[in-house]
Amino acid sequence: DGGITQSPKYLFRKEGQNVTLSCEQNLNHDAMYWYRQDPGQGLRLIYYSQIVNDFQKGDIAEGYSVSREKKESFPLTVTSAQKNPTAFYLCASSTVSNNSPLHFGNGTRLTVT
Amino acid sequence: SQQGEEDPQALSIQEGENATMNCSYKTSINNLQWYRQNSGRGLVHLILIRSNEREKHSGRLRVTLDTSKKSSSLLITASRAADTASYFCATDMSGGTSYGKLTFGQGTILTVHP
């Protein structure tokens, strides 16, 4: 079955440490996205990529970095510069076309203490 | 900034009743999409309505779009306990070479009591 796999499901880190969240898709989608969700909130776009080796900042990119070396993979690094990193992180993918819905992974819950 | 604002924030109904959720937005859109999220899980796409469409159905779901009022509604008919989830509207304002950048509302938490 095709889908998006995010790992790990839960992640705990100490303040000041960088941490990388994994996102892999086998849907053959060109576009991939990272969203952040805080309790009781909607999703906010961190970064997105429409093609390998290219990505753009979303609305809240500060303190985050990404890479897109392979079509299937779009890892997100939460750096120590992110002031409030504790959140639920969701990865998504889509085709690069008009009116294309997003397919989401099941998220990684990051807790930084 | 959040493009979509949803109303109500929470909705509690009995099984068998209909549930209506509303979404308002601020700028022109290409399409509006509705997603469902079960607690602690990812979002699942439910339905997409294009800016030139006024109504769309999918099973027990009915979505309307009023571009003059910049609003949409999602109706779930004959609700079931399994419909309990958060529902989000998302607007696609992208065009040209930028696809799929959605802006999400804060969601409506729907609770269906058996």
Side-chain angles (χ1 to χ4, degrees):
Chain A
D1 284 334
I4 299 181
T5 302
Q6 290 188 244
S7 61
K9 187 171 177 63
Y10 299 97
L11 193 51
F12 298 88
R13 280 293 182 270
K14 294 289 186 185
E15 197 173 318
Q17 294 179 335
N18 292 355
V19 59
T20 298
L21 282 59
S22 169
C23 178
E24 303 278 333
Q25 56 101 356
N26 60 5
L27 298 167
N28 200 32
H29 286 166
D30 286 304
M32 296 187 74
Y33 313 81
W34 274 105
Y35 283 89
R36 169 183 172 137
Q37 185 177 30
D38 292 285
Q41 303 287 319
L43 279 65
R44 292 182 291 168
L45 182 64
I46 304 172
Y47 268 98
Y48 67 104
S49 166
Q50 295 180 320
I51 194 169
V52 173
N53 292 323
D54 188 42
F55 48 83
Q56 285 77 42
K57 293 181 179 179
D59 299 320
I60 55 164
E62 185 176 351
Y64 299 98
S65 66
V66 293
S67 63
R68 187 86 188 275
E69 297 176 0
K70 297 186 302 181
K71 186 176 183 177
E72 302 79 17
S73 179
F74 192 40
L76 173 74
T77 297
V78 184
T79 75
S80 56
Q82 168 50 233
K83 291 181 171 49
N84 187 18
T86 294
F88 190 48
Y89 291 88
L90 287 157
C91 179
S93 71
S94 74
T95 61
V96 180
S97 62
N98 273 326
N99 302 308
S100 176
L102 299 186
H103 298 254
F104 282 87
N106 277 323
T108 291
R109 188 168 299 280
L110 173 65
T111 302
V112 177
T113 58
Chain B
S1 64
Q2 296 294 327
Q3 160 82 324
E5 296 293 333
E6 292 174 68
D7 169 57
Q9 290 187 334
L11 181 60
S12 182
I13 59 174
Q14 294 296 127
E15 210 164 29
E17 294 180 340
N18 295 342
T20 299
M21 290 159 265
N22 303 296
C23 172
S24 60
Y25 57 93
K26 297 175 184 173
T27 61
S28 296
I29 60 172
N30 294 325
N31 65 66
L32 186 144
Q33 303 178 32
W34 286 90
Y35 289 80
R36 165 195 170 124
Q37 183 181 36
N38 286 80
S39 182
R41 308 278 288 182
L43 279 69
V44 175
H45 178 259
L46 294 176
I47 197 165
L48 180 152
I49 186 165
R50 301 177 185 184
S51 60
N52 61 353
E53 296 176 315
R54 293 296 167 258
E55 187 171 314
K56 205 161 181 181
H57 296 82
S58 176
R60 294 185 295 114
L61 305 180
R62 172 178 170 256
V63 168
T64 61
L65 179 65
D66 187 335
T67 52
S68 66
K69 294 182 179 177
K70 292 186 170 57
S71 68
S72 173
S73 67
L74 170 68
L75 168 67
I76 303 174
T77 60
S79 64
R80 305 165 183 169
D83 294 328
T84 294
S86 294
Y87 291 82
F88 293 89
C89 70
T91 50
D92 182 352
M93 298 174 285
S94 59
T97 58
S98 178
Y99 298 104
K101 277 185 61 183
L102 300 185
T103 303
F104 286 82
Q106 293 186 331
T108 293
I109 300 171
L110 172 66
T111 303
V112 181
H113 300 280

